[in-house]
């Protein structure tokens, strides 16, 4: 049996997530209410006492009668009341059949979902095809002693942390609206400085709603130099995993790298909260760039990050790509390609 749960069915959505053996805050009802890029739905397939659920965003494809399915910012993918490695082949095959029927009847042309690096969701998704290896993410193992963790730090990383101790930096957890406002300004300043895309910008209400939720554990941790806020991070704690959701530093203090001190402090907090891992994430676009290298200065625990890029109707997909002047076989790392805001000209990529 299958069902499609929307945001209007709050209690059902929450129950399926909470009863899953592995999930993250990215799967929750509240987090999906914060996304304005599509209509959130939770696809559920059930057999007896077992289920597989997949949160998605349904998006209309402009100037057509079709739609597609995407995912919220962060790591989602399917969840279940059992680990994927323990699911029967028949249950996974029946989920596939039901989901493909749903795609066809709802005229959904493609599906994009960011899979969670800690969960073996690929065991289910590889039955469809379209599992794409994006790169690596970095995590800190909180199950080992703190001093052992610190031995894994790059020498320069640890030096910045020690300088922060010497300078008397301190951390504070807060839900105060004024503090949230200050962090919002620092984060927005950071995104403008690095010329981030619109995808990485959020309004102030997003920050307030995220931090004030009672559906999952979300905290704003700030770094102070004296009485001045110079750095901060919004973290979540779910099923033994801390996610470094948003991190930002006041431009004037970037050369002191207080975020390194903050990362170390959050790892201490995580142990107190009984967390097992502190997930720092990957590089920009999940490339092994300077951001990835910064995170790799804390840990040698690297995880494979995969996404699901599935074309349900190849004929319609190719026609949608063709109408914006892109060759469907182009190697642009973007999916679905018909939503790409870049077109290749003379082997270069120009924004339009």
């Amino acid at each position: 049996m299958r069902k499609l749960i929307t945001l209007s069915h709050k209690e059902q959505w929450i129950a399926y997530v909470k009863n899953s053996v592995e999930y993250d805050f990215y799967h929750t009802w509240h987090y999906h209410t914060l996304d304005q890029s599509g209509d959130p739905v939770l696809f559920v397939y059930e057999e007896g006492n077992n289920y597989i659920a997949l949160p998605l965003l349904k998006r209309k494809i402009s100037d057509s009668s079709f739609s597609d399915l995407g995912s919220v910012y962060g790591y989602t993918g399917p969840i279940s009341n059992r680990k994927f490695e323990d699911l029967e082949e028949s249950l996974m095959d029946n989920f596939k059949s039901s989901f493909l029927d749903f795609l066809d009847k709802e005229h959904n042309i493609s599906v994009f979902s960011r899979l969670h690096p800690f969960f073996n969701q690929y065991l289910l998704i590889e039955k469809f095809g379209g599992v794409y290896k994006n790169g690596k993410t970095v995590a800190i193992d909180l199950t080992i002693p703190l001093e052992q963790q610190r031995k894994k730090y790059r020498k320069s990383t640890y030096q910045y942390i020690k300088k922060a101790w010497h300078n008397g930096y301190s951390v504070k957890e807060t839900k105060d609206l004024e503090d949230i406002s200050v962090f919002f300004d620092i984060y927005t300043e950071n995104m403008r400085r690095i010329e981030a895309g619109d995808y990485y910008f959020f309004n102030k209400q997003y920050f307030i709603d995220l931090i004030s939720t009672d559906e999952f554990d979300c905290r704003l941790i700030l770094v102070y130099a004296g009485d001045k806020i110079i750095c901060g991070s919004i973290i979540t704690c779910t099923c033994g995993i801390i996610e470094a959701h948003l991190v930002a530093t006041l431009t004037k203090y970037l050369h002191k790298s207080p975020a390194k001190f903050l990362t170390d402090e959050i790892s201490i907090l995580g142990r107190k909260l009984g967390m097992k891992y502190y997930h720092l994430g990957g590089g920009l676009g999940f490339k092994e760039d300077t951001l990835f290298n910064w995170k790799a200065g804390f840990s040698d625990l690297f995880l494979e990050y995969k996404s699901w890029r599935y074309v349900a109707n190849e004929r319609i997909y190719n026609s949608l790509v063709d109408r914006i002047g892109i060759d469907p076989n182009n190697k642009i790392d973007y999916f679905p390609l018909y939503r790409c805001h870049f077109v290749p000209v003379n082997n270069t990529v120009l924004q339009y």
Side-chain angles (χ1 to χ4, degrees):
M1 181 182 76
R2 78 172 180 232
K3 61 178 77 170
L4 202 62
I5 297 170
T6 63
L7 291 180
S8 62
H9 303 101
K10 176 180 178 180
E11 298 307 320
Q12 286 189 62
W13 190 309
I14 290 174
Y16 278 109
V17 173
K18 293 290 186 185
N19 290 327
S20 296
V21 68
E22 296 175 321
Y23 67 91
D24 211 328
F25 84 101
Y26 303 113
H27 296 94
T28 63
W29 175 89
H30 180 79
Y31 188 65
H32 277 78
T33 68
L34 303 178
D35 195 292
Q36 305 299 315
S37 64
D39 296 323
V41 294
L42 184 67
F43 178 91
V44 179
Y45 177 77
E46 290 182 295
E47 281 186 14
N49 296 323
N50 298 315
Y51 67 85
I52 299 170
L54 177 60
L56 296 159
L57 297 173
K58 184 167 184 175
R59 306 173 298 184
K60 183 80 174 63
I61 300 173
S62 60
D63 301 320
S64 80
S65 59
F66 304 104
S67 58
D68 60 19
L69 300 167
S71 62
V72 291
Y73 177 88
Y75 312 103
T76 52
I79 52 178
S80 174
N81 62 313
R82 294 166 61 194
K83 289 195 173 188
F84 290 99
E85 50 266 42
D86 297 332
L87 292 179
E88 292 84 2
E89 290 292 323
S90 60
L91 177 60
M92 293 192 286
D93 288 339
N94 292 341
F95 170 86
K96 176 184 176 181
S97 297
S98 182
F99 189 72
L100 289 178
D101 184 63
F102 159 71
L103 293 179
D104 181 56
K105 286 190 163 123
E106 296 285 327
H107 305 292
N108 291 308
I109 301 307
S110 66
V111 185
F112 176 78
S113 183
R114 298 172 185 84
L115 304 183
H116 201 294
F118 281 90
F119 310 149
N120 291 325
Q121 299 162 322
Y122 73 92
L123 295 172
L124 169 68
I125 299 303
E126 67 185 3
K127 287 184 171 292
F128 292 85
V131 175
Y132 185 90
K133 291 184 178 180
N134 292 77
K136 298 182 185 299
T137 67
V138 182
I140 297 175
D141 184 354
L142 303 180
T143 65
I144 64 175
L146 178 61
E147 287 312 310
Q148 188 177 335
Q149 170 191 310
R150 286 174 172 163
K151 286 179 181 177
K152 295 176 180 286
Y153 291 175
R154 190 178 296 137
K155 184 178 179 181
S156 59
T157 298
Y158 206 5
Q159 285 175 339
Y160 275 109
I161 295 169
K162 289 176 178 177
K163 286 178 183 177
W165 294 340
H166 177 75
N167 291 330
Y169 289 177
S170 61
V171 295
K172 183 181 88 170
E173 182 184 332
T174 179
K175 292 185 183 289
D176 183 84
L177 289 177
E178 189 174 330
D179 292 336
I180 295 173
S181 182
V182 172
F183 178 69
F184 165 76
D185 290 339
I186 294 174
Y187 177 83
T188 303
E189 176 200 47
N190 270 214
M191 293 303 102
R192 286 176 179 153
R193 176 175 50 78
I194 66 173
E195 299 181 339
D198 292 345
Y199 185 71
Y200 295 97
F201 283 86
F202 308 95
N203 61 36
K204 189 182 296 185
Q205 194 59 48
Y206 173 91
F207 286 70
I208 295 170
D209 291 345
L210 187 62
I211 294 165
S212 61
T213 184
D214 59 3
E215 190 181 341
F216 51 85
D217 186 351
C218 184
R219 303 168 185 240
L220 172 60
I221 315 293
L222 299 175
V223 176
Y224 283 78
D227 60 358
K228 186 177 184 62
I229 298 171
I230 62 171
C231 176
S233 179
I234 294 177
I235 64 168
T236 61
C237 304
T238 317
C239 294
I241 301 169
I242 298 178
E243 294 285 0
H245 184 53
L246 301 176
V247 184
T249 299
L250 205 58
T251 299
K252 192 171 145 185
Y253 285 83
L254 279 172
H255 67 288
K256 294 184 180 293
S257 203
K260 291 186 172 78
F261 164 71
L262 178 58
T263 300
D264 185 71
E265 289 291 317
I266 291 173
S267 77
I268 296 170
L269 173 64
R271 286 177 168 83
K272 292 177 181 175
L273 297 173
M275 298 292 107
K276 295 180 179 178
Y277 297 98
Y278 179 17
H279 190 211
L280 303 181
L284 188 63
F286 294 94
K287 305 293 187 265
E288 293 189 23
D289 57 2
T290 53
L291 177 58
F292 179 88
N293 187 56
W294 187 95
K295 295 174 180 180
F298 289 94
S299 175
D300 56 5
L301 177 57
F302 300 156
L303 305 171
E304 290 285 345
Y305 161 60
K306 303 178 180 72
S307 61
W308 185 27
R309 307 179 182 192
Y310 182 72
V311 176
N313 187 319
E314 198 160 333
R315 181 180 64 83
I316 300 298
Y317 180 91
N318 289 338
S319 69
L320 291 169
V321 174
D322 184 62
R323 77 179 185 180
I324 64 169
I326 296 181
D327 181 348
N329 298 313
N330 196 288
K331 299 302 182 183
I332 297 174
D333 185 12
Y334 197 96
F335 189 86
L337 203 51
Y338 53 79
R339 289 191 181 273
C340 182
H341 297 293
F342 298 87
V343 292
V345 178
N346 297 327
N347 296 320
T348 62
V349 177
L350 303 178
Q351 186 170 10
Y352 68 82

